[in-house]
Amino acid sequence: MKESILSLDSREEAVLLFGSRDQFLREIRQSLGIQIIGRGEQVLLKGTEEQVDRAEKLFVQLRVDLRRHGSLSMEQVRASLDVVGGHAERVLNLDSDGPTVPTQTPGPLRAVRARTEGQSRYLNSLRDKEMVICVGPAGTGKTWLAVAMAVSLLRSGQVKKIVLVRPAVEAGERLGFLPGDIAAKVNPYLRPLFDALNDLMDPEQVRRYVDNDVIEIAPLAYMRGRTLNNAAIILDEGQNTTVAQMMMFLTRMGIGSKIIVTGDTTQVDLPPNVESGLIDAVARLEGIESIAVVHLDERDIVRHPLVARVLAAYSAKRVFGETPR
């Protein structure tokens, strides 16, 4: 048995951490199976070494969230419990065989788990909402988790295809001068999405999906006039769409489809006088039922630990007005 005492800043902080009528405290006790006793500005934790360690990590995360937002919600508490392992982990099973995908072949079990509180909120939204917009800096896993959800939906038979979309800002959406078919023309812009697919699935299987139109490559400029049913549709680099393009993309949604938009509002490559469709969409759509807007930040960066420091250094002083992707 292990005991640990946490010192809080004030009695008010304890009240906010425990929730109205101790609702957060009851959730934590039940999830972690630990004894928690509040004594003024101190919190006594009693349990096994593993239980106490998890509780300490949980309270560190909750105190950070409390300082940042001024309050806590049950959703934040449960998301933080997911991360420390107090709840059953939010897992995307990528090894299910779906009858609607005849070209697939069995592969090794791949389980996708949230690694931060922000990612847990994102993963919950991907599961529960029909349209998800995720905004965050490089390295937070926003694109990778979107592709993982699409693969999970495809393999479980919940959708019949995956549609990958990305604005080709550098070419001004005029791709005709590039050699090859449309897939070859837009491939450089979709490389991050294919990297995620190849990480989650066998590359040969990915090629078969593309050949059989189970995975479709669709430049943003070619989406007009379409209605996509029973599809997982991902728009990456959404910050480089105009307001009109974003509205056009979001209204392609058909029956049985899920739309996921990812982007980084600090990396807008549009001309200075053109408003970003992603920034506009977040302002317009946040709070609408069945639409989730998830904000990730530097705490959710899951690449090499130095990535967060590099981003912070470049954010402090931009170089040629650009930041790393």
Side-chain angles (χ1 to χ4, degrees):
M1 212 62 171
K2 180 180 178 180
E3 293 187 8
S4 177
I5 296 177
L6 304 179
S7 296
L8 305 178
D9 294 337
S10 64
R11 186 67 177 270
E12 181 183 2
E13 183 185 21
V15 171
L16 292 173
L17 281 173
F18 291 168
S20 175
R21 298 183 179 180
D22 290 345
Q23 60 174 331
F24 300 157
L25 187 60
R26 287 195 297 274
E27 184 76 13
I28 295 168
R29 283 172 175 159
Q30 181 178 353
S31 298
L32 298 182
I34 191 172
Q35 185 177 1
I36 306 176
I37 303 172
R39 294 174 177 171
E41 298 175 7
Q42 291 185 327
V43 181
L44 174 64
L45 307 175
K46 287 185 177 182
T48 65
E49 184 170 354
E50 182 180 6
Q51 289 171 332
V52 172
D53 288 344
R54 286 181 175 180
E56 288 176 339
K57 292 177 182 177
L58 175 69
F59 277 104
V60 168
Q61 179 65 57
L62 292 178
R63 294 182 74 189
V64 169
D65 288 341
L66 183 58
R67 292 190 188 100
R68 183 181 181 192
H69 301 291
S71 63
L72 293 174
S73 67
M74 183 62 78
E75 182 183 11
Q76 288 173 299
V77 173
R78 287 171 175 164
S80 295
L81 280 165
D82 285 342
V83 174
V84 301
H87 283 162
E89 292 183 279
R90 304 293 182 178
V91 177
L92 295 179
N93 185 356
L94 305 182
D95 198 42
S96 302
D97 288 333
T100 60
V101 189
T103 57
Q104 69 180 350
T105 56
L109 179 65
R110 295 299 307 273
V112 176
R113 295 177 173 84
R115 294 172 60 184
T116 69
E117 186 269 341
Q119 284 193 350
S120 184
R121 285 188 286 108
Y122 183 29
L123 202 51
N124 289 342
S125 296
L126 289 172
R127 285 180 174 277
D128 300 335
K129 303 295 184 179
E130 297 173 75
M131 183 179 294
V132 179
I133 300 173
C134 184
V135 179
T140 52
K142 54 188 184 295
T143 299
W144 199 90
L145 285 174
V147 174
M149 172 55 71
V151 171
S152 177
L153 292 172
L154 181 67
R155 286 194 152 187
S156 65
Q158 296 179 65
V159 300
K160 294 182 179 179
K161 70 185 303 178
I162 296 173
V163 182
L164 306 177
V165 184
R166 208 167 188 244
V169 170
E170 294 83 355
E173 293 287 354
R174 294 184 296 272
L175 303 174
F177 66 89
L178 293 174
D181 59 15
I182 190 60
K185 293 175 191 292
V186 79
N187 183 67
Y189 301 100
L190 292 170
R191 195 68 253 167
L193 295 169
F194 273 112
D195 288 344
L197 280 170
N198 288 328
D199 193 29
L200 293 160
M201 303 165 62
D202 181 75
E204 181 58 36
Q205 187 179 26
V206 174
R207 284 192 289 271
R208 285 197 298 272
Y209 278 164
V210 172
D211 291 342
N212 288 276
D213 204 33
V214 175
I215 295 177
E216 180 185 349
I217 303 163
L220 182 59
Y222 286 47
M223 292 289 287
R224 190 174 301 279
R226 301 185 64 187
T227 300
L228 297 169
N229 296 316
N230 302 308
I233 313 154
I234 300 173
L235 172 62
D236 194 32
E237 299 289 338
Q239 76 277 2
N240 288 330
T241 62
T242 65
V243 174
Q245 286 174 329
M246 180 62 77
M247 182 182 71
M248 178 271 291
F249 172 77
L250 295 178
T251 54
R252 301 309 92 197
M253 188 177 191
I255 302 300
S257 290
K258 184 185 290 287
I259 276 186
I260 307 169
V261 178
T262 67
D264 181 355
T265 55
T266 68
Q267 296 191 31
V268 179
D269 297 319
L270 297 169
N273 61 334
V274 177
E275 184 179 5
S276 168
L278 178 62
I279 295 174
D280 177 77
V282 169
R284 290 177 187 268
L285 303 179
E286 198 158 19
I288 294 180
E289 188 177 359
S290 296
I291 299 177
V293 178
V294 181
H295 296 272
L296 303 179
D297 57 30
E298 287 75 12
R299 293 178 301 163
D300 300 303
I301 292 175
V302 292
R303 290 181 187 170
H304 191 283
L306 280 178
V307 171
R309 298 181 185 180
V310 170
L311 285 174
Y314 275 88
S315 296
K317 185 176 181 180
R318 295 290 180 88
V319 178
F320 302 118
E322 298 182 355
T323 53
R325 296 184 184 275

